Structures are given as structure tokens and as C-alpha cells.
Amino acid sequence: MLLMSVILILQETLEAAMLVSILAAVTLQAGRHLSWLPWGFAGGCIMAFVYAANIQRISEWFDFVGQELTNAALQATIAAAIVLLAWRISRIYATGDAAAVAPGRHGSMFQVLCALIIGLAVTREGSEILVYLGGFLAQSDKSQAVLTGSAIGFGIGLSVGLLLFHGLLALGDKRWIPFALLGLFCGNMLAQSALQLTQADWLQPGPTLWDSSAWLSEHSVIGRLLYALLGYEANPSTAQVIGYLTGAAAVLAAALAPTRSVAKA
């Protein structure tokens, strides 16, 4: 139970922690401040509590596929916000440092997008953590192991996030790395959204494109970590792969669009 709690909480924490780290590093590199962080985190915690408290009622929506559809909507919204943020970040870089620090509508949009992404990510991951903990804390014989494992998993995830944050800041002008990471996250979100929609029978999954479970099971420790980091699936459907590639390509296109427009001008 201890090891299971470590793995599960680490998997949920790692994705959110890395996303916060990437956005925080990009914010500072773009000459912005981190005022979005407390608002996004606090809003996400509140929404996670509300979601977890009403999970049974939500799951009964839309002929008992409400939870799948809600998760798909959260993930698709995160992906869309990441694409818009990538476009905004690229526009800041393309127009120079003076525009990067200038106040105004675009600065507000930058902050709102970051807060929205983190808020929805914390809502999704936090609600799953709360549901997991709520199912075991009532059992006194397992509560100590669950809490200890959860604390260890959360600590590891937070540590990885901090290391990533300082690593991105140390890279300096290598701006393609944050865009690449945002592309992976965006693709992962759309792939997971496609999976939720197929589970709800709202989307045809298509044939399975490959099966790598013999080499690396997605239920193993490494497989779970790669799922959190890169969205690894041992036997992805066509819909998942299309969603992943679409998300990554959308971020790439959004990152390149302002640069091309400035070059033409």
C-alpha cells in the first residue's frame, strides 16, 4: 500500500509540478511576474475539492459518462490554452524585450492563460488525489501507509518540478526547449481527452497502432512515470495518436506564427 501510494501520488503530482515549472520559467524569461501562480493554484484547489466532493453525481451525467466527458473537457481546454500561450510567448520573443515588459491587454492575457492552465491542471490531478485518499483514509489500518506514501510521492514530484524549473532558467536563451515541452504536454492532454471520449463512446478509437507492453508496460513504475511525463501508452488507439500529434503540431505552429509575421514585416 505504501509503494502504491507513492507511485499514484507521484504520477498525479509530477504532471502538474512540471507544468507549473515550465510556465514559471517561461514567465520569468519573458519578463513577466508570477502573480498568476497563487491565483491559479488556489482556484485549482477549490475546484478540485468541489469536483471530488461531487464526483458521484457528476459521473451520472450524460447517461453515466459524466466523469469521462468532464475530464475530456478539462484536458481539451488545457490543450487549447497551451496553444494560445505558446503563440503569446512567441509573440513576446519576436517583438523584443521592450514589448515583453510592456503592460496592457496582452500582458493580462498571458497571466490569465497561465492561471487557467494551472487551475485546470490542479483541478484534474487534485480531484483524483482527493478521491484516492478519501477511499482509504476511512480505513484506519491503511491510513498511515497511504498518508506516508502520498507524502513521499508528493515530495518527489515537487522536487522534480523544482529541478526542472531551475534547469530551464539555467538554459537561458534556448527557448525551443520550453516550446518542445509545452508541445508534449499539449499532445498528452489531447491524447488523454481522446481516450476519455472513446471510453464514453463519443468517439471511435480506431485500430490500435502498436503494442509495446511486452517491452514496457504502462502499469509498471517506469511506465506510469513516462505516462505522466510524456503521455506514454503501450497500445494507443488511432484517435489517441492523432490527438497527440495534433496537440504537438498546434503548439509548433503557434510558436512559429509570430516569428514569421515579424520576419515578413
PDB file of all heavy atoms in Angstrom, residues 172-198:
ATOM      1  N   GLY A 172      18.879  29.548 -20.245  1.00  0.00           N
ATOM      2  CA  GLY A 172      18.952  30.895 -20.815  1.00  0.00           C
ATOM      3  C   GLY A 172      18.184  31.037 -22.111  1.00  0.00           C
ATOM      4  O   GLY A 172      16.964  30.915 -22.144  1.00  0.00           O
ATOM      5  N   ASP A 173      18.902  31.276 -23.210  1.00  0.00           N
ATOM      6  CA  ASP A 173      18.277  31.629 -24.485  1.00  0.00           C
ATOM      7  C   ASP A 173      17.800  30.432 -25.308  1.00  0.00           C
ATOM      8  O   ASP A 173      17.322  30.613 -26.423  1.00  0.00           O
ATOM      9  CB  ASP A 173      19.254  32.432 -25.344  1.00  0.00           C
ATOM     10  CG  ASP A 173      19.516  33.815 -24.761  1.00  0.00           C
ATOM     11  OD1 ASP A 173      18.623  34.316 -24.049  1.00  0.00           O
ATOM     12  OD2 ASP A 173      20.592  34.360 -25.008  1.00  0.00           O
ATOM     13  N   LYS A 174      17.916  29.234 -24.799  1.00  0.00           N
ATOM     14  CA  LYS A 174      17.447  28.056 -25.540  1.00  0.00           C
ATOM     15  C   LYS A 174      15.938  27.933 -25.402  1.00  0.00           C
ATOM     16  O   LYS A 174      15.407  27.083 -24.701  1.00  0.00           O
ATOM     17  CB  LYS A 174      18.157  26.796 -25.045  1.00  0.00           C
ATOM     18  CG  LYS A 174      19.664  26.816 -25.304  1.00  0.00           C
ATOM     19  CD  LYS A 174      20.332  25.555 -24.815  1.00  0.00           C
ATOM     20  CE  LYS A 174      21.833  25.587 -25.087  1.00  0.00           C
ATOM     21  NZ  LYS A 174      22.513  24.364 -24.598  1.00  0.00           N
ATOM     22  N   ARG A 175      15.235  28.811 -26.113  1.00  0.00           N
ATOM     23  CA  ARG A 175      13.793  28.941 -25.920  1.00  0.00           C
ATOM     24  C   ARG A 175      12.996  27.823 -26.568  1.00  0.00           C
ATOM     25  O   ARG A 175      11.808  27.662 -26.277  1.00  0.00           O
ATOM     26  CB  ARG A 175      13.339  30.292 -26.472  1.00  0.00           C
ATOM     27  CG  ARG A 175      13.952  31.468 -25.710  1.00  0.00           C
ATOM     28  CD  ARG A 175      13.764  32.776 -26.449  1.00  0.00           C
ATOM     29  NE  ARG A 175      14.294  33.896 -25.688  1.00  0.00           N
ATOM     30  CZ  ARG A 175      14.382  35.138 -26.147  1.00  0.00           C
ATOM     31  NH1 ARG A 175      13.993  35.399 -27.387  1.00  0.00           N
ATOM     32  NH2 ARG A 175      14.874  36.104 -25.401  1.00  0.00           N
ATOM     33  N   TRP A 176      13.609  27.058 -27.463  1.00  0.00           N
ATOM     34  CA  TRP A 176      12.886  25.983 -28.121  1.00  0.00           C
ATOM     35  C   TRP A 176      12.558  24.859 -27.144  1.00  0.00           C
ATOM     36  O   TRP A 176      11.590  24.111 -27.372  1.00  0.00           O
ATOM     37  CB  TRP A 176      13.709  25.424 -29.281  1.00  0.00           C
ATOM     38  CG  TRP A 176      15.012  24.803 -28.870  1.00  0.00           C
ATOM     39  CD1 TRP A 176      16.218  25.422 -28.761  1.00  0.00           C
ATOM     40  CD2 TRP A 176      15.232  23.441 -28.505  1.00  0.00           C
ATOM     41  NE1 TRP A 176      17.185  24.538 -28.347  1.00  0.00           N
ATOM     42  CE2 TRP A 176      16.600  23.319 -28.188  1.00  0.00           C
ATOM     43  CE3 TRP A 176      14.403  22.321 -28.416  1.00  0.00           C
ATOM     44  CZ2 TRP A 176      17.152  22.098 -27.783  1.00  0.00           C
ATOM     45  CZ3 TRP A 176      14.957  21.104 -28.018  1.00  0.00           C
ATOM     46  CH2 TRP A 176      16.324  21.015 -27.707  1.00  0.00           C
ATOM     47  N   ILE A 177      13.324  24.753 -26.059  1.00  0.00           N
ATOM     48  CA  ILE A 177      13.075  23.662 -25.109  1.00  0.00           C
ATOM     49  C   ILE A 177      11.735  23.828 -24.399  1.00  0.00           C
ATOM     50  O   ILE A 177      10.946  22.868 -24.336  1.00  0.00           O
ATOM     51  CB  ILE A 177      14.239  23.547 -24.104  1.00  0.00           C
ATOM     52  CG1 ILE A 177      15.522  23.137 -24.829  1.00  0.00           C
ATOM     53  CG2 ILE A 177      13.905  22.533 -23.008  1.00  0.00           C
ATOM     54  CD1 ILE A 177      16.726  22.994 -23.938  1.00  0.00           C
ATOM     55  N   PRO A 178      11.398  25.013 -23.850  1.00  0.00           N
ATOM     56  CA  PRO A 178      10.057  25.160 -23.262  1.00  0.00           C
ATOM     57  C   PRO A 178       8.940  24.921 -24.270  1.00  0.00           C
ATOM     58  O   PRO A 178       7.914  24.323 -23.930  1.00  0.00           O
ATOM     59  CB  PRO A 178      10.053  26.612 -22.764  1.00  0.00           C
ATOM     60  CG  PRO A 178      11.482  26.944 -22.522  1.00  0.00           C
ATOM     61  CD  PRO A 178      12.226  26.212 -23.590  1.00  0.00           C
ATOM     62  N   PHE A 179       9.129  25.370 -25.521  1.00  0.00           N
ATOM     63  CA  PHE A 179       8.105  25.133 -26.537  1.00  0.00           C
ATOM     64  C   PHE A 179       7.952  23.635 -26.806  1.00  0.00           C
ATOM     65  O   PHE A 179       6.834  23.136 -26.983  1.00  0.00           O
ATOM     66  CB  PHE A 179       8.456  25.856 -27.839  1.00  0.00           C
ATOM     67  CG  PHE A 179       8.196  27.337 -27.796  1.00  0.00           C
ATOM     68  CD1 PHE A 179       9.226  28.240 -28.005  1.00  0.00           C
ATOM     69  CD2 PHE A 179       6.928  27.820 -27.542  1.00  0.00           C
ATOM     70  CE1 PHE A 179       8.990  29.602 -27.974  1.00  0.00           C
ATOM     71  CE2 PHE A 179       6.685  29.181 -27.517  1.00  0.00           C
ATOM     72  CZ  PHE A 179       7.714  30.081 -27.720  1.00  0.00           C
ATOM     73  N   ALA A 180       9.072  22.918 -26.839  1.00  0.00           N
ATOM     74  CA  ALA A 180       9.006  21.471 -27.057  1.00  0.00           C
ATOM     75  C   ALA A 180       8.271  20.782 -25.914  1.00  0.00           C
ATOM     76  O   ALA A 180       7.435  19.891 -26.138  1.00  0.00           O
ATOM     77  CB  ALA A 180      10.415  20.902 -27.204  1.00  0.00           C
ATOM     78  N   LEU A 181       8.557  21.192 -24.686  1.00  0.00           N
ATOM     79  CA  LEU A 181       7.886  20.596 -23.530  1.00  0.00           C
ATOM     80  C   LEU A 181       6.393  20.934 -23.525  1.00  0.00           C
ATOM     81  O   LEU A 181       5.560  20.072 -23.226  1.00  0.00           O
ATOM     82  CB  LEU A 181       8.544  21.088 -22.239  1.00  0.00           C
ATOM     83  CG  LEU A 181       9.983  20.619 -22.009  1.00  0.00           C
ATOM     84  CD1 LEU A 181      10.572  21.283 -20.770  1.00  0.00           C
ATOM     85  CD2 LEU A 181      10.033  19.102 -21.862  1.00  0.00           C
ATOM     86  N   LEU A 182       6.061  22.177 -23.876  1.00  0.00           N
ATOM     87  CA  LEU A 182       4.649  22.546 -23.960  1.00  0.00           C
ATOM     88  C   LEU A 182       3.948  21.748 -25.058  1.00  0.00           C
ATOM     89  O   LEU A 182       2.781  21.367 -24.908  1.00  0.00           O
ATOM     90  CB  LEU A 182       4.514  24.040 -24.230  1.00  0.00           C
ATOM     91  CG  LEU A 182       4.842  24.976 -23.057  1.00  0.00           C
ATOM     92  CD1 LEU A 182       4.768  26.434 -23.498  1.00  0.00           C
ATOM     93  CD2 LEU A 182       3.883  24.742 -21.892  1.00  0.00           C
ATOM     94  N   GLY A 183       4.644  21.490 -26.158  1.00  0.00           N
ATOM     95  CA  GLY A 183       4.065  20.676 -27.220  1.00  0.00           C
ATOM     96  C   GLY A 183       3.768  19.260 -26.753  1.00  0.00           C
ATOM     97  O   GLY A 183       2.716  18.685 -27.081  1.00  0.00           O
ATOM     98  N   LEU A 184       4.686  18.682 -25.970  1.00  0.00           N
ATOM     99  CA  LEU A 184       4.464  17.337 -25.438  1.00  0.00           C
ATOM    100  C   LEU A 184       3.275  17.322 -24.483  1.00  0.00           C
ATOM    101  O   LEU A 184       2.455  16.394 -24.511  1.00  0.00           O
ATOM    102  CB  LEU A 184       5.727  16.843 -24.723  1.00  0.00           C
ATOM    103  CG  LEU A 184       6.951  16.581 -25.608  1.00  0.00           C
ATOM    104  CD1 LEU A 184       8.140  16.165 -24.753  1.00  0.00           C
ATOM    105  CD2 LEU A 184       6.640  15.495 -26.633  1.00  0.00           C
ATOM    106  N   PHE A 185       3.186  18.341 -23.637  1.00  0.00           N
ATOM    107  CA  PHE A 185       2.064  18.406 -22.703  1.00  0.00           C
ATOM    108  C   PHE A 185       0.743  18.578 -23.455  1.00  0.00           C
ATOM    109  O   PHE A 185      -0.262  17.956 -23.105  1.00  0.00           O
ATOM    110  CB  PHE A 185       2.258  19.552 -21.706  1.00  0.00           C
ATOM    111  CG  PHE A 185       2.984  19.147 -20.463  1.00  0.00           C
ATOM    112  CD1 PHE A 185       4.324  19.456 -20.292  1.00  0.00           C
ATOM    113  CD2 PHE A 185       2.341  18.457 -19.458  1.00  0.00           C
ATOM    114  CE1 PHE A 185       5.006  19.080 -19.150  1.00  0.00           C
ATOM    115  CE2 PHE A 185       3.002  18.080 -18.319  1.00  0.00           C
ATOM    116  CZ  PHE A 185       4.340  18.391 -18.147  1.00  0.00           C
ATOM    117  N   CYS A 186       0.744  19.438 -24.462  1.00  0.00           N
ATOM    118  CA  CYS A 186      -0.471  19.669 -25.228  1.00  0.00           C
ATOM    119  C   CYS A 186      -0.908  18.385 -25.936  1.00  0.00           C
ATOM    120  O   CYS A 186      -2.098  18.026 -25.924  1.00  0.00           O
ATOM    121  CB  CYS A 186      -0.249  20.789 -26.243  1.00  0.00           C
ATOM    122  SG  CYS A 186      -1.729  21.275 -27.147  1.00  0.00           S
ATOM    123  N   GLY A 187       0.027  17.699 -26.552  1.00  0.00           N
ATOM    124  CA  GLY A 187      -0.288  16.436 -27.194  1.00  0.00           C
ATOM    125  C   GLY A 187      -0.802  15.409 -26.209  1.00  0.00           C
ATOM    126  O   GLY A 187      -1.768  14.674 -26.494  1.00  0.00           O
ATOM    127  N   ASN A 188      -0.186  15.363 -25.029  1.00  0.00           N
ATOM    128  CA  ASN A 188      -0.626  14.431 -23.993  1.00  0.00           C
ATOM    129  C   ASN A 188      -2.057  14.731 -23.567  1.00  0.00           C
ATOM    130  O   ASN A 188      -2.874  13.821 -23.386  1.00  0.00           O
ATOM    131  CB  ASN A 188       0.322  14.525 -22.792  1.00  0.00           C
ATOM    132  CG  ASN A 188       0.035  13.466 -21.739  1.00  0.00           C
ATOM    133  OD1 ASN A 188      -0.675  12.494 -21.982  1.00  0.00           O
ATOM    134  ND2 ASN A 188       0.587  13.652 -20.563  1.00  0.00           N
ATOM    135  N   MET A 189      -2.384  16.019 -23.406  1.00  0.00           N
ATOM    136  CA  MET A 189      -3.735  16.392 -22.996  1.00  0.00           C
ATOM    137  C   MET A 189      -4.776  15.967 -24.028  1.00  0.00           C
ATOM    138  O   MET A 189      -5.832  15.426 -23.687  1.00  0.00           O
ATOM    139  CB  MET A 189      -3.813  17.905 -22.765  1.00  0.00           C
ATOM    140  CG  MET A 189      -3.078  18.409 -21.534  1.00  0.00           C
ATOM    141  SD  MET A 189      -3.741  17.798 -19.975  1.00  0.00           S
ATOM    142  CE  MET A 189      -2.542  16.487 -19.599  1.00  0.00           C
ATOM    143  N   LEU A 190      -4.497  16.204 -25.317  1.00  0.00           N
ATOM    144  CA  LEU A 190      -5.458  15.831 -26.347  1.00  0.00           C
ATOM    145  C   LEU A 190      -5.557  14.314 -26.493  1.00  0.00           C
ATOM    146  O   LEU A 190      -6.639  13.783 -26.775  1.00  0.00           O
ATOM    147  CB  LEU A 190      -5.067  16.457 -27.681  1.00  0.00           C
ATOM    148  CG  LEU A 190      -5.342  17.954 -27.826  1.00  0.00           C
ATOM    149  CD1 LEU A 190      -5.037  18.421 -29.249  1.00  0.00           C
ATOM    150  CD2 LEU A 190      -6.790  18.279 -27.483  1.00  0.00           C
ATOM    151  N   ALA A 191      -4.443  13.607 -26.305  1.00  0.00           N
ATOM    152  CA  ALA A 191      -4.491  12.146 -26.354  1.00  0.00           C
ATOM    153  C   ALA A 191      -5.340  11.590 -25.215  1.00  0.00           C
ATOM    154  O   ALA A 191      -6.150  10.667 -25.412  1.00  0.00           O
ATOM    155  CB  ALA A 191      -3.077  11.579 -26.296  1.00  0.00           C
ATOM    156  N   GLN A 192      -5.166  12.153 -24.015  1.00  0.00           N
ATOM    157  CA  GLN A 192      -5.973  11.708 -22.886  1.00  0.00           C
ATOM    158  C   GLN A 192      -7.441  12.082 -23.079  1.00  0.00           C
ATOM    159  O   GLN A 192      -8.339  11.329 -22.698  1.00  0.00           O
ATOM    160  CB  GLN A 192      -5.441  12.317 -21.590  1.00  0.00           C
ATOM    161  CG  GLN A 192      -4.085  11.782 -21.166  1.00  0.00           C
ATOM    162  CD  GLN A 192      -3.642  12.337 -19.822  1.00  0.00           C
ATOM    163  OE1 GLN A 192      -4.451  12.521 -18.924  1.00  0.00           O
ATOM    164  NE2 GLN A 192      -2.362  12.604 -19.687  1.00  0.00           N
ATOM    165  N   SER A 193      -7.684  13.253 -23.666  1.00  0.00           N
ATOM    166  CA  SER A 193      -9.060  13.650 -23.944  1.00  0.00           C
ATOM    167  C   SER A 193      -9.706  12.684 -24.930  1.00  0.00           C
ATOM    168  O   SER A 193     -10.873  12.296 -24.758  1.00  0.00           O
ATOM    169  CB  SER A 193      -9.075  15.076 -24.504  1.00  0.00           C
ATOM    170  OG  SER A 193     -10.399  15.494 -24.778  1.00  0.00           O
ATOM    171  N   ALA A 194      -8.965  12.288 -25.954  1.00  0.00           N
ATOM    172  CA  ALA A 194      -9.487  11.317 -26.918  1.00  0.00           C
ATOM    173  C   ALA A 194      -9.790   9.985 -26.242  1.00  0.00           C
ATOM    174  O   ALA A 194     -10.809   9.337 -26.542  1.00  0.00           O
ATOM    175  CB  ALA A 194      -8.484  11.119 -28.050  1.00  0.00           C
ATOM    176  N   LEU A 195      -8.933   9.567 -25.313  1.00  0.00           N
ATOM    177  CA  LEU A 195      -9.163   8.316 -24.587  1.00  0.00           C
ATOM    178  C   LEU A 195     -10.444   8.394 -23.763  1.00  0.00           C
ATOM    179  O   LEU A 195     -11.245   7.444 -23.743  1.00  0.00           O
ATOM    180  CB  LEU A 195      -7.969   8.017 -23.684  1.00  0.00           C
ATOM    181  CG  LEU A 195      -8.093   6.768 -22.794  1.00  0.00           C
ATOM    182  CD1 LEU A 195      -8.262   5.517 -23.647  1.00  0.00           C
ATOM    183  CD2 LEU A 195      -6.885   6.639 -21.880  1.00  0.00           C
ATOM    184  N   GLN A 196     -10.657   9.518 -23.085  1.00  0.00           N
ATOM    185  CA  GLN A 196     -11.868   9.682 -22.280  1.00  0.00           C
ATOM    186  C   GLN A 196     -13.112   9.651 -23.173  1.00  0.00           C
ATOM    187  O   GLN A 196     -14.137   9.062 -22.808  1.00  0.00           O
ATOM    188  CB  GLN A 196     -11.807  11.007 -21.512  1.00  0.00           C
ATOM    189  CG  GLN A 196     -10.697  11.105 -20.485  1.00  0.00           C
ATOM    190  CD  GLN A 196     -10.945  10.216 -19.273  1.00  0.00           C
ATOM    191  OE1 GLN A 196     -12.069   9.898 -18.941  1.00  0.00           O
ATOM    192  NE2 GLN A 196      -9.866   9.829 -18.616  1.00  0.00           N
ATOM    193  N   LEU A 197     -13.035  10.284 -24.332  1.00  0.00           N
ATOM    194  CA  LEU A 197     -14.182  10.308 -25.238  1.00  0.00           C
ATOM    195  C   LEU A 197     -14.480   8.930 -25.815  1.00  0.00           C
ATOM    196  O   LEU A 197     -15.643   8.579 -26.031  1.00  0.00           O
ATOM    197  CB  LEU A 197     -13.933  11.311 -26.367  1.00  0.00           C
ATOM    198  CG  LEU A 197     -13.920  12.790 -25.956  1.00  0.00           C
ATOM    199  CD1 LEU A 197     -13.544  13.670 -27.144  1.00  0.00           C
ATOM    200  CD2 LEU A 197     -15.274  13.216 -25.394  1.00  0.00           C
ATOM    201  N   THR A 198     -13.433   8.144 -26.080  1.00  0.00           N
ATOM    202  CA  THR A 198     -13.672   6.785 -26.571  1.00  0.00           C
ATOM    203  C   THR A 198     -14.266   5.903 -25.481  1.00  0.00           C
ATOM    204  O   THR A 198     -15.110   5.049 -25.762  1.00  0.00           O
ATOM    205  CB  THR A 198     -12.367   6.160 -27.090  1.00  0.00           C
ATOM    206  OG1 THR A 198     -11.380   6.159 -26.043  1.00  0.00           O
ATOM    207  CG2 THR A 198     -11.840   6.927 -28.290  1.00  0.00           C
TER     208      THR A 198
END
